Amino acid sequence: MQTIAGFDRIGEENAFAVLARAGELAAAGRDIINLGIGQPDFPTPENIVEAAVRALRDGHHGYTPATGLPALREAVAGDLDRRFGVDVSPDRVIVVPGGKITMFAAILMFGEPGAEILYPDPGFPIYRSMIEFTGATPVPVPIREGMGFAVSAEETLSLVTPRTRLLILNSPANPCGGVTPRAEIDRLVVGLADHPQVAVMSDEIYDQILYDGEEHVTLLGYPQIRDRLILLNGWSKTYAMTGWRMGYSVWPDGLYDKVRKLAVNAWSCVNAPSQYAAIEALTGPQDAVLAMVDEFDARRKLVVDGLNALPGVSCVVPKGAFYTFPNIGATGWKAKPLASALLERAGVATIGGPDFGILGEGYIRLSYAASRDDIAQALHRMDDFLRTGQP
Ligand code: PLP
């Protein structure tokens, strides 16, 4: 059956295929350690779970406003003010079913044949997939190991043309764990003044998962681009809520009503009990978040030290999120065959770097959202494998 051409170009997120394959192998009796999928391995904090259960018991089972419960939009605005001192009106916040929906909406709004959209490479694979779906031209912005996987303002600006409609930024970043420093973001924003036709979507979903005293620099803090800035954020990573499908975005005046109408057409509203849980997440105690980040930090050290001790592997210390992106160039393996062999032969699920973009060749991604025991065991298996396995 003939469908629109976009469906022949739409891509995927290979992490889900690896998750499925790891599940099959485990079901067949293999002992598999999953460092593939990017989700916290902690349970959602109890107070958040309770808030959802209470909401259902209190009869909150119906539609909510398409943009989200007013109390939740106020809680989001309050949280952004508390953490960053930025003034965001709750009327510019929309609650959406997961972080991905914001990139879906933003890319649909600006993508069309002839338009160019800049996105990070290596980067979250759905950016490129959605750009291709719309028929726009994907323009990769290289994310380089030599810069600690931070965005280069100069290189980004050099790729802007009169056809550029949208620039996608992501810090802290998946898959490399890079954090773009304030000075680089300052330079980027200054340069964007020469390109008023370029909207910016800043994916800040890992904004609370930072190490070594790194501060998060939100693009909301730059008034000069607020009229063309879309902020993507959500509860999935910070509060261990990936399966709840809770995200939010902040949109400028001229775009907010368009995304509101898309919500009315596509998903009506996000499920009500999850919205009550999300209010509790933002307004209740935050100690579970701090404890999770502390634990990620301890694992980060374990995984980076372990990777750097493997033959042919070197690993930059990530500053945020919960991923490492080790360089495997000196192992003699290409990245995807290595990831596949590690899963099939050593029982360790990772993702090949090319699943995150052309510049991902020579790297694999490991998520350290797994227990310390599992990480230690996975490193041990990788060490054995790299010493004996042949490409
Ligand atoms: N943005 C980035 C950079 C991500 O890594 C992810 C998930 O892995 C998302 C957005 C999507 O988050 P969600 O699961 O809430 O849709």
Side-chain angles (χ1 to χ4, degrees):
M1 181 135 331
Q2 189 72 28
T3 60
I4 62 160
F7 280 99
D8 298 326
R9 294 187 299 260
I10 198 164
E12 282 201 67
E13 200 185 335
N14 202 33
F16 284 98
V18 172
L19 184 66
R21 180 66 187 144
E24 270 170 28
L25 291 170
R30 292 277 309 279
D31 175 19
I32 304 293
I33 299 173
N34 196 339
L35 305 185
I37 195 80
Q39 65 177 340
D41 54 319
F42 305 105
T44 304
E46 197 53 35
N47 60 315
I48 300 176
V49 174
E50 277 310 313
V53 172
R54 203 167 46 241
L56 278 174
R57 293 231 162 86
D58 290 348
H60 296 299
H61 58 270
Y63 293 123
T64 74
T67 51
L69 292 168
L72 178 52
R73 290 188 282 114
E74 269 160 37
V76 167
D79 178 61
L80 291 169
D81 179 31
R82 200 167 33 253
R83 291 194 295 127
F84 306 121
V86 291
D87 184 17
V88 170
S89 162
D91 294 341
R92 292 292 162 268
V93 174
I94 180 165
V95 179
V96 288
K100 270 180 184 164
I101 295 293
T102 299
M103 62 186 82
F104 177 80
I107 295 168
L108 270 190
M109 247 181 230
F110 293 101
E112 61 181 341
E116 293 174 3
I117 299 185
L118 268 56
Y119 70 101
D121 180 338
F124 190 56
I126 299 305
Y127 304 143
R128 184 183 174 108
S129 166
M130 273 306 299
I131 297 167
E132 291 191 326
F133 177 75
T134 65
T137 305
V139 179
V141 176
I143 302 295
R144 299 189 189 279
E145 184 178 359
M147 279 196 65
F149 295 123
V151 172
S152 154
E154 196 186 338
E155 197 164 12
T156 306
L157 290 165
S158 75
L159 295 166
V160 175
T161 75
R163 292 175 300 283
T164 309
R165 299 297 311 281
L166 179 67
L167 163 64
I168 300 176
L169 297 171
N170 174 219
S171 175
N174 177 10
C176 305
V179 171
T180 301
R182 181 180 293 281
E184 212 62 41
I185 298 180
D186 286 353
R187 273 197 285 278
L188 187 59
V189 171
V190 168
L192 283 172
D194 295 336
H195 308 288
Q197 86 285 6
V198 180
V200 177
M201 187 193 81
S202 183
D203 180 343
E204 303 184 13
I205 201 154
Y206 296 100
D207 66 352
Q208 300 208 51
I209 308 181
L210 283 165
Y211 312 107
D212 300 334
E214 282 289 329
E215 56 156 359
H216 179 65
V217 183
T218 176
L219 270 285
L220 285 172
Y222 294 84
Q224 38 310 31
I225 56 159
R226 279 288 289 276
D227 62 348
R228 47 179 161 140
L229 174 71
I230 301 156
L231 175 90
L232 181 160
N233 211 327
W235 287 260
S236 293
K237 315 287 176 175
T238 312
Y239 297 99
M241 291 176 69
T242 48
W244 294 67
R245 310 311 301 136
M246 284 299 302
Y248 71 83
S249 29
V250 179
W251 296 74
D253 279 2
L255 302 181
Y256 188 81
D257 208 48
K258 299 183 197 232
V259 71
R260 181 191 64 75
K261 284 190 194 154
L262 186 67
V264 171
N265 279 268
W267 59 88
S268 294
C269 67
V270 176
N271 79 79
S274 290
Q275 294 195 51
Y276 283 91
I279 297 175
E280 173 62 23
L282 295 182
T283 58
Q286 301 295 304
D287 24 321
V289 176
L290 301 177
M292 281 192 262
V293 175
D294 273 355
E295 178 58 24
F296 285 142
D297 192 13
R299 297 166 178 184
R300 177 179 69 122
K301 296 194 174 86
L302 191 67
V303 76
V304 170
D305 290 349
L307 286 167
N308 279 321
L310 298 181
V313 177
S314 64
C315 182
V316 161
V317 180
K319 294 184 174 167
F322 38 66
Y323 309 104
T324 51
F325 206 60
N327 186 324
I328 50 99
T331 60
W333 285 84
K334 289 266 189 208
K336 288 198 49 128
L338 177 60
S340 167
L342 284 172
L343 176 58
E344 302 290 334
R345 289 158 59 189
V348 180
T350 64
I351 314 281
D355 285 334
F356 302 97
I358 300 149
L359 291 177
E361 185 51 83
Y363 301 86
I364 58 173
R365 189 192 79 172
L366 280 75
S367 156
Y368 48 92
S371 73
R372 294 189 211 190
D373 281 353
D374 275 0
I375 290 170
Q377 177 64 19
L379 288 164
H380 185 65
R381 291 184 190 179
M382 288 172 72
D383 190 51
D384 273 356
F385 181 79
L386 285 171
R387 285 178 201 285
T388 55
Q390 295 301 312

